[in-house]
């Protein structure tokens, strides 16, 4: 069934995705931490809006019980909102200002530093946690919070679940008018794609 609905990305599509993600990164890294936090909150809302249909699809694909999946979806929504809160606080930036000391030997210059995003992040979906450690989970949330773009390789054990979560993320991005390529979703059952 996987191969009838979802085809592996080609190596050319993977390379194209990475180039597009890097281009989007150069725009996204300039977004304020408030904009990034709003994106994560919107992703949480869109994921929740998928409702029972998401649970049903995931149950069919993974054979995990409904209660377990509802709990994990709740955890994932909590993670997204928690990363949004932490993102807005900005403590993680470790922003520092060291004022100059001109009469020190040697003189200390004015030094300003903070952590900055490095570039696109690739997330590999987990087979055993289809929400919390997959498409919209903590790895994606932390990368987006840091100002990095994300390319997700869906886990082939739950491709439709991953596609639904990706759709929620894409909808949240579009609702904020952000560059669509800050999140790219690829399918790939082969090791070559990974």
């Amino acid at each position: 069934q996987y191969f009838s609905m979802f085809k592996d990305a080609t190596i050319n599509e993977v390379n194209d995705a990475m180039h597009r993600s890097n281009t989007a990164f150069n725009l996204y890294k300039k977004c304020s931490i408030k904009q990034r936090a709003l994106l994560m909150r919107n992703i949480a809302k869109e994921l929740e809006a998928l409702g029972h249909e998401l649970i049903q699809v995931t149950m069919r694909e993974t054979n995990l019980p409904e209660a377990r999946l509802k709990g994990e979806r709740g955890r994932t929504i909590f993670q997204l909102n928690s990363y949004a809160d932490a993102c807005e606080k900005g403590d993680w930036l470790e922003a520092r200002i060291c004022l100059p000391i001109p009469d020190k030997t040697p003189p200390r210059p004015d030094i300003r530093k903070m952590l900055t995003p490095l570039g696109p992040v690739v997330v590999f979906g987990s087979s055993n946690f289809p929400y919390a450690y997959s498409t919209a989970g903590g790895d994606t949330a932390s990368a987006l919070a840091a100002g990095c773009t994300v390319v997700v390789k869906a886990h082939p054990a739950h491709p439709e679940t991953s596609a639904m979560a990706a759709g929620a993320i894409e909808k949240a991005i579009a609702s904020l008018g952000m560059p669509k390529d800050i999140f790219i979703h690829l399918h790939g059952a082969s090791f070559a794609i990974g």
Side-chain angles (χ1 to χ4, degrees):
Q1 181 179 348
Y2 170 82
F3 294 104
S4 64
M5 290 180 64
F6 303 99
K7 297 196 182 328
D8 276 10
T10 65
I11 296 300
N12 286 340
E13 289 170 329
V14 171
N15 289 335
D16 178 61
M18 294 310 299
H19 286 292
R20 290 179 12 236
S21 185
N22 191 58
T23 299
F25 166 71
N26 289 317
L27 299 171
Y28 184 61
K29 70 181 180 181
K30 297 172 187 171
C31 287
S32 71
I33 57 178
K34 289 200 176 299
Q35 290 171 304
R36 295 179 208 165
L38 182 59
L39 173 59
M40 285 179 288
R41 287 190 182 99
N42 282 6
I43 293 170
K45 288 176 191 168
E46 293 297 338
L47 196 61
E48 190 166 27
L50 293 174
H52 194 63
E53 182 183 356
L54 177 65
I55 300 294
Q56 290 297 111
V57 166
T58 310
M59 285 171 57
R60 177 176 40 79
E61 288 186 315
T62 65
N63 292 316
L64 292 170
E66 182 175 359
R68 155 75 161 70
L69 292 174
K70 283 183 174 180
E72 186 182 336
R73 183 180 58 187
R75 171 187 176 179
T76 306
I77 290 167
F78 175 80
Q79 284 174 205
L80 285 158
N81 286 315
S82 293
Y83 275 109
D85 292 343
C87 181
E88 277 184 323
K89 287 181 185 171
D91 297 343
W92 57 275
L93 291 168
E94 296 182 17
R96 302 279 185 269
I97 297 174
C98 298
L99 297 174
I101 305 176
D103 54 350
K104 184 177 179 185
T105 306
R108 183 173 81 185
D110 183 11
I111 301 172
R112 295 162 192 256
K113 60 183 179 174
M114 63 185 249
L115 297 178
T116 60
L118 294 176
V121 171
V122 177
V123 173
F124 291 82
S126 164
S127 66
N128 56 340
F129 288 93
Y131 307 139
Y133 294 102
S134 284
T135 306
D139 295 331
T140 297
S142 61
L144 292 173
C148 296
T149 54
V150 175
V151 176
V152 168
K153 192 206 74 71
H155 196 284
H158 45 79
E160 190 175 353
T161 297
S162 186
M164 290 177 76
I169 295 169
E170 291 161 357
K171 191 172 180 183
I173 291 168
S175 74
L176 297 173
M178 292 179 157
K180 71 179 181 78
D181 288 335
I182 63 175
F183 174 84
I184 298 173
H185 184 254
L186 301 173
H187 288 279
S190 73
F191 289 127
I193 298 307

